[in-house]
Amino acid sequence: MTQGSTDRILHSINAVILGKQHAVKLALSCLIARGHLLIEDLPGVGKTTLAHTLATTLGLRFQRVQFTSDMLPADILGVSIYDPEKHQFSFHRGPIFTQLLLADEINRASPRTQSALLEAMEEQQVTIEGDSYPLEDPFFVIATQNPTHQIGTFPLPESQLDRFLMRIQLGYPDHQAERALLMGEDRRQLLRQLDAEITPHQLIKLQQTASHIALSEALIDYVQALLRYTRQSSQFYNGLSPRAGLGLIQAARAWAMISGRDFVLPEDVQAVFPSIVQHRLQAREHLQSADWANDILQQVVIP
Amino acid sequence: MANKKPVIAPSKPAIHWLMVTLTIIAIPHFFYQPIWVALIFLFMMSWRLMHSWRGWPLPADKRLLKGLHSVSAVLTILLVFYSYGITIGRDAGVALLTTMAAFKIVEVKSLRDYYLSCFMGFFLVITHFFFNQTIPIVILMLVNVILLTSCLITVNETDSSAKSRVKQASIMVLQATPLMLLLFVLFPRISGPIWGLPNDAMDIPDSLPDSMTLGELPPRNSATTGMSDDITIGNISQLIQSDAIAFRVKFDNNRFPDRQNLYWRGPVLWHTDGKRWLPLQDNQKQSDAVSKIRVSGEALSYSMTLEPHDRRWLFALDFPTAYPATMQTRLSGDGELNSQETVKQRIQYRLSSNTEYLFNPLNDPYLRYGLNLPEDHHPRSQRLARQLIETSESNEAYIDAVLAYFRQQNFSYSLTPPALRGDTIDQFLFETRQGFCEHYAASFTILMRAGGIPARIVTGYQGGEINPVDQVLTVRQRDAHAWTEVWLPNKGWLRIDPTAAVSSNRVDFGMGDLLPAERRSPRAIANNDRLVEMWQSAKNNWDALNSAWDMWVVSYGPEKQLELLKKLGMQQPDWQKMIRWLAIGIAMVFIWIAWTTLRLKSHSTDRVQRAYLKFCSTLARHGIERQPNEGPEAFAIRAQQAFPAYQQQISTISTLYMHVRYRGDASENDFIQSVKQFKPQHSA
């Protein structure tokens, strides 16, 4: 069942998001690995559409929040309002109480608002005036972010970037895909026609299956070799954290499952590696090669 | 304190491992050292052990103990000086090193202390060489070095098993072996005191004495060395108890002289006071004394490997006609071959000898000493001599008469003769009539002198054993012998062996035959001929191995080095060339080690991975090379596209590999088998 359902999901998403098979597969693995996703790219390349499509095909309830600089934490989490008839405060849930939250242009909000969201992501609950409100399960955040050199942005601190399992970039579509996009139907129209391929319950099942994908000693050796390389290399300020290592394994498992295997290959690790590490590692200035994540993969020998 | 670096303490297993190793290293020394060395050593080990087991305090824990520890260390140093004197020689040095290593072990608190203890251990290992240079000791030393190396590994890596640590240490020692061999062969050897062993680093178990006293057999091992000038222990009879090797001889072309001529000439004794026999005094020697030797027959050439005996004389087959070229030697007027220096190390020299010779046939400068008899001694012997000379027509007839007297009267050869008291010669000739070479040689010489024939005693060795394995003749201390030379006009000095008159076996079959059976083979197997034969052949092989070891390894000195390097094609080897080649050799060894380790790094050792790498290299030969960072699936897809003819096989092998290595559910053997069967014929 898993193989068929993931194939169907990918197929429907790819029908909307053209020419981005790899990014789409990464995004799906991120969600199956129970991770939050950060999409960083220029406006207009389809970030929001991707998030929306994912929500729809996975049958998740979807909320979208456009982040702005004057936004307050209550605008996301919700607010307690005094009800004069009942003589008590009642909690009005914010948009975070959903299954998939699209946090659009997260780096436009103030750090205070950003951290309110990220704390909720970490703890899977919202605490307001002493009362805790659990978030839904499954709960995902897909945040989009403009490149930080644009005006009026508050770049996310590293500690908060670490909360996102993956950061992917969409980039411009290639010639063929763009042509198909320009000639094809309106995307919004397509989205409306899209059906859910699975239920949230089935998604949880998929997540459980993914976490049981076989992982051999040899593969752990490889992952450790990669982690060790980032820690010993002088190219980076700090090496990868153990959390990054765990994330790498989770994502590789999900990727392996989507690829139709019940065991993880080094190729799976290689496929997810750049998206896992790019927002976690800070390369030293002089080495700012655009593709250093792949350079690491080139350097580290598969044991 | 706060900014002090934290002290990393070595783990308990590492310390225990080191203690076991040091004890193994030290145990052989306990046999050579006074008992207090062993006691101090074991006490310190027990202290440390009780600290590990029961938490007893160490010197560093309590000020009182620390003081006690330091004071007793100083006392031990004083004890060493008290026992051995101020000069640090071999024994004192070893005693000091052994005890200080023990004192250090209770002090070990940090990694630095631990390393220091290990390095003291390495020094202790070397000291074994001062006592013994045989193959078993070298094997023991090798084990010790491996154990110490494993200590160094243990302290850095405590979670591995003892077996794997020893294995790793063995591999490291093995890797160091080429370097060791290079250094051994090429490091310039310089003869001289700096490079030699300390003066007391010599054990001379037995050697021929420079005088002779008739007496009884002293108990075995009553005297330990032949270095002492105490003449009462220097008996040939004592040497007969010893199986220690005196020298080894390798005859050129394996041409051996007859057994009857295997007389190895040593010191010549002239003077007697009735009991002791002594060589010529220095002031009696004539420096211009010329030995005239006429030889006939063919000369035999041979090389001798002489064990150290701390004397200057060299042994030579009677009679040497060509002398060693590699060392300063001198043949004295009475036929002693002497070296310029005392023989303190095993030396090798080449000689030639003729067994048929005339020695000073016309005149001899020392003839008058050959007639001296002690006054008021041996009255009965002199009477016998007068009787025999009256009935003899010539000197030759007199000699025959004396030999006949030995044969006909009830004389017997015995290794355990009764003790002689009073006038030893008279008592031997007329009462006990049991004795061995020195009794016969001494009494025969007395009788000759009493009869007016110049005579002297020659000591040395007779016989020896030829090892059938390497054709080396080994002469042991038990082959020590004494015989007589008499001077006759126109014939010169004639060798006459009165012992042969009594016991022809001694000369015909050598000493070995006269020894009790248990000294030839163990008593347990003495009744089984097959076992005795096997024992003998094993012994021969072992002796041959030891002989080669002694000749090529232990006595690898300046001469041997030059000889070997010339054989290896180095023209005119000197130390500069040796150093140059040594540097080149060491660089090559390092390059080789670096290359193999780098290769090993990318070549995993487990068999699945080896098989997969073989599969990859097979494909690489057909132009499809796997990148080291390329996963198996990606590579399989690429290979299948590039090599469609073997698509199926590549897919099968890759799938099997992925399942074995990353899923863990396929059979390793199936995979390895399938790789073996993969033999693509034509190129991609």
Side-chain angles (χ1 to χ4, degrees):
Chain A
M1 160 272 196
T2 54
Q3 182 59 45
S5 55
T6 51
D7 277 354
R8 268 185 283 121
I9 295 165
L10 286 177
H11 187 260
S12 0
I13 301 175
N14 284 329
V16 182
I17 315 288
L18 297 175
K20 292 286 162 218
Q21 279 89 347
H22 188 75
V24 166
K25 196 170 167 184
L26 275 175
L28 183 62
S29 346
C30 179
L31 299 194
I32 288 176
R34 291 176 222 250
H36 304 293
L37 182 66
L38 181 64
I39 307 175
E40 184 182 83
D41 224 321
L42 297 166
V45 290
K47 299 190 293 278
T48 316
T49 316
L50 174 63
H52 214 137
T53 320
L54 269 170
T56 314
T57 45
L58 296 177
L60 300 174
R61 271 190 292 111
F62 176 74
Q63 286 279 1
R64 176 179 171 173
V65 182
Q66 177 68 48
F67 278 49
T68 55
S69 57
D70 56 355
M71 210 167 177
L72 294 173
D75 294 333
I76 305 166
L77 306 180
V79 64
S80 290
I81 294 170
Y82 186 72
D83 188 340
E85 285 173 17
K86 292 182 185 164
H87 300 288
Q88 63 180 28
F89 283 95
S90 64
F91 180 62
H92 288 249
R93 291 171 179 234
I96 199 167
F97 290 91
T98 183
Q99 287 173 321
L100 196 152
L101 178 75
L102 174 63
D104 228 352
E105 297 188 81
I106 191 170
N107 57 345
R108 289 214 182 277
S110 64
R112 191 174 159 217
T113 314
Q114 289 173 356
S115 66
L117 169 68
L118 292 159
E119 272 170 45
M121 281 160 61
E122 185 67 16
E123 289 156 25
Q124 287 274 318
Q125 63 176 18
V126 172
T127 306
I128 288 163
E129 286 165 11
D131 292 320
S132 291
Y133 306 93
L135 297 177
E136 295 194 36
D137 188 32
F139 171 70
F140 297 110
V141 174
I142 297 179
T144 70
Q145 147 168 292
N146 295 323
T148 46
H149 49 76
Q150 287 202 338
I151 302 163
T153 56
F154 298 93
L156 286 173
E158 282 153 58
S159 62
Q160 298 192 342
L161 281 173
D162 204 27
R163 307 265 159 80
F164 291 97
L165 178 63
M166 283 189 194
R167 187 186 73 175
I168 60 173
Q169 281 154 334
L170 289 173
Y172 297 117
D174 60 27
H175 180 74
Q176 280 293 325
E178 189 154 35
R179 199 172 178 82
L181 178 75
L182 295 174
M183 288 173 68
E185 283 181 74
D186 180 23
R187 297 294 116 184
R188 251 170 269 159
Q189 189 63 36
L190 276 176
L191 261 175
R192 240 172 270 134
Q193 293 165 3
L194 211 58
D195 288 325
E197 296 291 346
I198 54 170
T199 63
H201 181 70
Q202 283 173 319
L203 180 62
I204 291 171
K205 268 269 159 60
L206 280 179
Q207 289 175 338
Q208 283 169 354
T209 314
S211 64
H212 287 103
I213 295 283
L215 197 66
S216 69
E217 297 265 343
L219 194 99
I220 302 272
D221 287 343
Y222 181 49
V223 170
Q224 281 195 305
L226 287 168
L227 295 180
R228 199 165 46 239
Y229 181 87
T230 65
R231 287 165 197 169
Q232 287 171 352
S233 165
S234 58
Q235 299 174 26
F236 309 105
Y237 287 105
N238 294 305
L240 285 173
S241 64
R243 175 154 57 183
L246 283 170
L248 190 55
I249 282 174
Q250 282 173 11
R253 277 181 152 143
W255 184 277
M257 189 189 80
I258 296 172
S259 308
R261 254 182 287 104
D262 59 354
F263 58 97
V264 187
L265 281 178
E267 281 92 332
D268 302 323
V269 177
Q270 289 174 344
V272 298
F273 183 76
S275 61
I276 302 271
V277 303
Q278 263 168 348
H279 60 294
R280 290 183 158 101
L281 280 179
Q282 214 180 341
R284 290 187 189 271
E285 300 288 317
H286 60 282
L287 282 165
Q288 206 116 42
S289 142
D291 208 15
W292 49 260
N294 275 316
D295 289 346
I296 297 176
L297 292 176
Q298 291 286 326
Q299 293 294 322
V300 178
V301 171
I302 297 174
Chain B
M1 285 305 278
N3 56 4
K4 215 173 152 189
K5 268 190 188 170
V7 174
I8 304 165
S11 66
K12 262 189 198 176
I15 288 177
H16 293 171
W17 193 248
L18 177 64
M19 282 163 66
V20 170
T21 305
L22 284 180
T23 311
I24 292 174
I25 294 170
I27 280 176
H29 282 320
F30 296 163
F31 297 102
Y32 303 107
Q33 300 283 349
I35 183 77
W36 51 264
V37 172
L39 289 179
I40 290 174
F41 188 89
L42 294 177
F43 176 79
M44 291 297 160
M45 292 291 156
S46 322
W47 186 353
R48 183 83 215 203
L49 213 56
M50 289 316 281
H51 169 74
S52 303
W53 281 351
R54 297 280 156 80
W56 285 19
L58 288 179
D61 302 336
K62 288 200 172 143
R63 193 167 285 177
L64 178 71
L65 282 178
K66 194 169 190 172
L68 216 58
H69 179 260
S70 313
V71 167
S72 42
V74 171
L75 284 180
T76 307
I77 295 173
L78 291 177
L79 187 59
V80 170
F81 282 131
Y82 176 74
S83 309
Y84 294 100
I86 290 295
T87 50
I88 283 282
R90 174 193 66 173
D91 291 337
V94 172
L96 208 57
L97 198 57
T98 314
T99 47
M100 290 305 119
F103 274 106
K104 186 73 206 173
I105 205 86
V106 290
E107 265 186 2
V108 172
K109 274 265 159 188
S110 64
L111 269 182
R112 192 180 161 278
D113 297 333
Y114 190 91
Y115 290 139
L116 195 73
S117 284
C118 284
F119 292 131
M120 281 173 101
F122 279 115
F123 275 105
L124 259 185
V125 172
I126 299 173
T127 57
H128 284 309
F129 252 150
F130 295 156
F131 296 91
N132 193 328
Q133 298 159 6
T134 55
I135 298 173
I137 273 294
V138 170
I139 293 170
L140 178 71
M141 287 169 70
L142 190 70
V143 170
N144 288 339
V145 167
I146 290 174
L147 283 177
L148 274 171
T149 313
S150 74
C151 285
L152 292 174
I153 296 170
T154 309
V155 75
N156 287 302
E157 185 190 295
T158 39
D159 49 347
S160 58
S161 72
K163 200 177 144 194
S164 79
R165 293 192 302 251
V166 171
K167 192 179 158 195
Q168 200 182 341
S170 312
I171 290 171
M172 287 169 81
V173 170
L174 202 69
Q175 284 171 334
T177 310
L179 212 59
M180 183 269 286
L181 289 177
L182 258 178
L183 284 167
F184 181 82
V185 172
L186 280 174
F187 195 86
R189 307 271 166 154
I190 299 160
S191 51
I194 302 167
W195 302 93
L197 298 171
N199 270 340
D200 61 343
M202 210 181 3
D203 273 318
I204 293 159
D206 301 283
S207 72
L208 207 63
D210 62 355
S211 68
M212 199 174 89
T213 308
L214 297 193
E216 61 213 273
L217 288 172
R220 180 86 183 109
N221 289 337
S222 65
T224 49
T225 70
M227 283 194 292
S228 160
D229 281 330
D230 185 350
I231 45 126
T232 54
I233 61 148
N235 263 307
I236 292 177
S237 54
Q238 186 202 352
L239 292 181
I240 288 172
Q241 301 282 308
S242 165
D243 287 333
I245 289 169
F247 51 85
R248 296 190 181 96
V249 189
K250 176 87 176 141
F251 282 95
D252 289 4
N253 307 321
N254 294 332
R255 280 197 311 133
F256 294 96
D258 296 336
R259 206 158 240 297
Q260 283 82 358
N261 282 324
L262 277 176
Y263 281 86
W264 304 97
R265 206 178 165 85
V268 181
L269 307 179
W270 295 82
H271 300 301
T272 176
D273 61 355
K275 275 195 168 180
R276 278 174 58 192
W277 287 82
L278 293 171
L280 285 179
Q281 304 299 307
D282 283 342
N283 57 5
Q284 293 167 332
K285 286 181 185 161
Q286 298 173 11
S287 54
D288 55 344
V290 181
S291 308
K292 291 203 171 59
I293 293 141
R294 283 188 216 146
V295 296
S296 53
E298 227 178 315
L300 290 163
S301 299
Y302 51 94
S303 67
M304 284 266 235
T305 310
L306 180 64
E307 298 294 312
H309 55 50
D310 206 32
R311 311 281 188 189
R312 281 169 48 187
W313 56 69
L314 307 171
F315 297 97
L317 185 68
D318 200 15
F319 194 91
T321 48
Y323 315 126
T326 49
M327 52 198 288
Q328 295 276 328
T329 55
R330 196 177 161 277
L331 189 74
S332 75
D334 52 356
E336 272 181 37
L337 189 62
N338 281 310
S339 158
Q340 203 81 327
E341 287 156 8
T342 49
V343 180
K344 286 182 181 291
Q345 290 172 23
R346 181 182 289 114
I347 54 166
Q348 287 185 338
Y349 51 88
R350 288 190 55 77
L351 284 174
S352 292
S353 290
N354 281 67
T355 53
E356 288 168 44
Y357 64 93
L358 294 177
F359 183 13
N360 283 354
L362 299 177
N363 194 17
D364 189 275
Y366 301 125
L367 277 187
R368 58 201 159 101
Y369 302 120
L371 289 167
N372 280 351
L373 281 174
E375 283 173 33
D376 305 330
H377 271 87
H378 326 313
R380 294 175 71 185
S381 311
Q382 301 212 15
R383 222 174 302 139
L384 172 70
R386 274 195 297 278
Q387 276 172 24
L388 289 173
I389 206 152
E390 276 166 22
T391 55
S392 306
E393 292 162 359
S394 64
N395 284 342
E396 283 90 342
Y398 173 65
I399 294 167
D400 286 342
V402 173
L403 287 174
Y405 177 80
F406 278 128
R407 254 194 300 271
Q408 283 152 16
Q409 301 296 321
N410 195 19
F411 281 96
S412 63
Y413 186 90
S414 168
L415 288 174
T416 52
L420 299 173
R421 276 179 212 90
D423 193 319
T424 47
I425 299 288
D426 278 6
Q427 212 193 0
F428 169 69
L429 275 177
F430 302 103
E431 285 163 35
T432 65
R433 292 188 170 172
Q434 287 180 39
F436 43 88
C437 58
E438 62 181 33
H439 298 90
Y440 290 100
S443 45
F444 185 79
T445 307
I446 292 289
L447 287 174
M448 285 299 114
R449 289 182 178 183
I453 301 174
R456 61 190 183 189
I457 294 178
V458 182
T459 57
Y461 298 87
Q462 200 280 321
E465 277 176 308
I466 296 165
N467 190 331
V469 178
D470 56 357
Q471 302 291 324
V472 166
L473 180 93
T474 305
V475 175
R476 295 172 188 277
Q477 296 297 347
R478 64 171 191 233
D479 297 313
H481 196 52
W483 60 92
T484 305
E485 279 182 340
V486 296
W487 189 86
L488 296 175
N490 297 323
K491 292 191 174 172
W493 290 101
L494 281 179
R495 182 179 69 223
I496 292 173
D497 189 352
T499 315
V502 179
S503 165
S504 54
N505 282 356
R506 169 66 185 86
V507 174
D508 290 347
F509 301 108
M511 202 62 203
D513 254 34
L514 294 170
L515 293 174
E518 67 261 27
R519 269 184 66 192
R520 276 177 280 158
S521 54
R523 197 181 292 234
I525 63 164
N527 294 326
N528 187 329
D529 284 347
R530 251 184 72 86
L531 281 181
V532 170
E533 205 173 288
M534 280 165 65
W535 165 264
Q536 196 57 45
S537 114
K539 199 165 165 294
N540 285 338
N541 281 303
W542 175 241
D543 286 347
L545 183 66
N546 271 317
S547 157
W549 170 261
D550 282 347
M551 283 192 201
W552 282 104
V553 181
V554 182
S555 31
Y556 184 78
E559 292 96 25
K560 276 268 169 197
Q561 187 173 37
L562 288 184
E563 189 189 326
L564 182 74
L565 292 182
K566 274 185 187 154
K567 262 186 202 166
L568 290 177
M570 197 188 285
Q571 277 143 8
Q572 290 176 332
D574 57 11
W575 67 270
Q576 285 164 323
K577 269 188 199 162
M578 288 181 208
I579 294 283
R580 204 172 302 145
W581 279 105
L582 195 60
I584 292 170
I586 289 173
M588 303 260 278
V589 167
F590 277 130
I591 289 168
W592 176 71
I593 288 175
W595 187 71
T596 46
T597 43
L598 283 178
R599 232 174 63 106
L600 274 180
K601 216 172 183 177
S602 59
H603 285 60
S604 170
T605 43
D606 87 77
R607 58 198 209 104
V608 170
Q609 195 62 1
R610 261 204 312 268
Y612 183 65
L613 291 171
K614 188 173 158 248
F615 167 69
C616 293
S617 66
T618 308
L619 283 173
R621 275 202 300 280
H622 289 85
I624 310 154
E625 195 158 358
R626 186 179 83 99
Q627 300 304 310
N629 63 335
E630 192 167 12
E633 195 178 39
F635 178 59
I637 291 167
R638 204 158 62 80
Q640 286 175 37
Q641 284 168 354
F643 209 176
Y646 289 90
Q647 196 174 0
Q648 188 57 44
Q649 244 180 319
I650 293 170
S651 157
T652 312
I653 291 171
S654 300
T655 310
L656 269 173
Y657 171 70
M658 290 188 275
H659 277 244
V660 171
R661 191 159 169 82
Y662 294 107
R663 196 168 190 244
D665 66 343
S667 148
E668 288 187 5
N669 291 332
D670 284 356
F671 165 63
I672 290 166
Q673 209 52 44
S674 68
V675 169
K676 276 187 186 153
Q677 285 161 6
F678 180 64
K679 290 189 181 97
Q681 296 302 317
H682 45 82
S683 192

